[in-house]
Amino acid sequence: MDPCIICVAITGSLPTKADNPAVPITVAEQVESTHEAFEAGASIAHCHVRDADGKPTPDPERYAALKEGLEKHCPGMIVQLSTGGRSGAGQARGGMLSLSPDMASLAVGSNNFPTRVYDNPPDLVEWLAAEMKKYRVRPEIEAFDLSHIFQAHKMWKAGEFPERPYIQFVMGIKNAMPVDRDVFEFYVRTVKRLFGDNAPWCAAGIGAGQMVVNEWSVIEGGHARTGLEDNIRLDRNTLAPSNAALVKRVVALCKKHNRQVADWRTARNILSLPMKTV
Ligand SMILES: [Zn+2]
């Protein structure tokens, strides 16, 4: 098995300081929190930004400041910016793609979220994919549902991505796909069947599902996402003290199951991303 790439989703759109004071909100806090997670073993930073009031925003200037800070303080780390729909609407969701980050997240279909529809209409998905192709940004497909894996495959075959996309399964969002082992295994088989046996994939579990899905990924040869965006607790009674603390849990799972943890060079190799000189 390849070494395990750990992605840290540092902030997200939802958690606040009131939920957990360790959630990094300002760019300075985000850089510091990511640096600690990078030192702990994360090699991808999945990023959202917040405005001065702490609300999610797709503001390209904020993203530019964060990207610059991460490139300076976490040299070599893979920077992935979110085009998710909680921080903006329509084409504003992709305004940061012209910064040419290493990667960006891309949802290719719609589904329900806890209190709303996660709306990803085909014309917007096509536009976001075209922007990623134009700026050579590698998409990470957020598969909230099985149909999203098939849609990503269709788009890849049609040449709509710069390269083979990286597929991530997301499980445990209320009203969407639950944390279910049989479905997880079917997702893995489906990615291998459609994208090739050696196609890398990743998975994220929400809330208490985070560790469960992390362990399945480590066992099955996939890559693992953790971080305060998806889960703010170590257990029912304990808030996670940092993003790094959540990364360390995945490192411990890798040790338990004899998987190596990918450093940023290895991660860039596995994902066929351009190498950086640092
Ligand atoms: Zn996100």
Side-chain angles (χ1 to χ4, degrees):
M1 284 184 193
D2 276 334
C4 181
I5 301 169
I6 301 174
C7 172
V8 61
I10 53 172
T11 301
S13 297
L14 296 178
T16 64
K17 293 266 190 214
D19 299 321
N20 181 336
V23 176
I25 302 293
T26 67
V27 167
E29 288 172 348
Q30 290 182 304
V31 171
E32 190 183 345
S33 183
T34 308
H35 180 253
E36 210 191 330
F38 183 52
E39 303 253 284
S43 49
I44 302 177
H46 169 84
C47 308
H48 296 245
V49 287
R50 305 286 183 94
D51 65 16
D53 299 323
K55 299 245 162 29
T57 170
D59 181 5
E61 282 184 32
R62 289 255 165 184
Y63 270 118
L66 176 57
K67 180 171 174 279
E68 191 186 321
L70 293 180
E71 285 167 355
K72 182 167 171 209
H73 294 281
C74 311
M77 192 176 197
I78 297 164
V79 176
Q80 181 187 99
L81 305 184
S82 173
T83 67
R86 279 179 174 130
S87 45
Q91 295 189 354
R93 285 169 50 177
M96 80 298 283
L97 293 170
S98 59
L99 300 169
S100 291
D102 297 300
M103 303 182 86
S105 61
L106 178 66
V108 295
S110 302
N111 57 280
N112 278 351
F113 267 3
T115 57
R116 47 170 284 206
V117 174
Y118 186 31
D119 193 13
N120 293 292
D123 55 346
L124 178 62
V125 172
E126 298 280 330
W127 181 82
L128 287 167
E131 290 287 290
M132 290 186 194
K133 194 171 173 182
K134 179 162 138 196
Y135 296 109
R136 303 292 302 172
V137 181
R138 178 71 58 84
E140 176 183 277
I141 304 301
E142 305 307 323
F144 296 95
D145 189 86
L146 179 61
S147 63
H148 300 168
I149 298 174
F150 282 87
Q151 182 64 16
H153 178 254
K154 193 177 103 187
M155 293 175 73
W156 177 49
K157 282 288 158 196
E160 294 185 55
F161 300 133
E163 310 235 12
R164 181 168 65 186
Y166 184 42
I167 308 288
Q168 170 158 266
F169 321 136
V170 187
M171 301 187 119
I173 293 183
K174 189 182 170 194
N175 299 330
M177 186 60 77
V179 175
D180 183 288
R181 185 73 186 254
D182 280 351
V183 172
F184 179 89
E185 309 244 331
F186 190 76
Y187 278 173
V188 175
R189 286 210 305 278
T190 303
V191 165
K192 289 182 176 173
R193 178 161 65 87
L194 297 178
F195 293 91
D197 267 342
N198 60 354
W201 55 270
C202 179
I206 306 302
Q210 184 171 69
M211 269 290 265
V212 177
V213 172
N214 284 163
E215 188 154 27
W216 294 348
S217 300
V218 169
I219 291 169
E220 300 278 343
H223 305 288
R225 167 163 141 170
T226 186
L228 294 166
E229 170 171 349
D230 300 341
N231 166 45
I232 57 168
R233 296 175 190 282
L234 292 180
D235 59 46
R236 192 194 295 246
N237 302 312
T238 319
L239 291 177
S242 61
N243 275 303
L246 295 174
V247 170
K248 285 174 189 166
R249 296 199 306 181
V250 185
V251 172
L253 284 175
C254 288
K255 201 166 211 169
K256 177 179 165 192
H257 295 286
N258 292 314
R259 280 280 303 274
Q260 292 214 297
V261 175
D263 62 13
W264 65 266
R265 284 188 179 83
T266 309
R268 284 179 181 275
N269 263 329
I270 292 170
L271 298 175
S272 310
L273 285 168
M275 203 47 69
K276 292 243 158 150
T277 40
V278 299

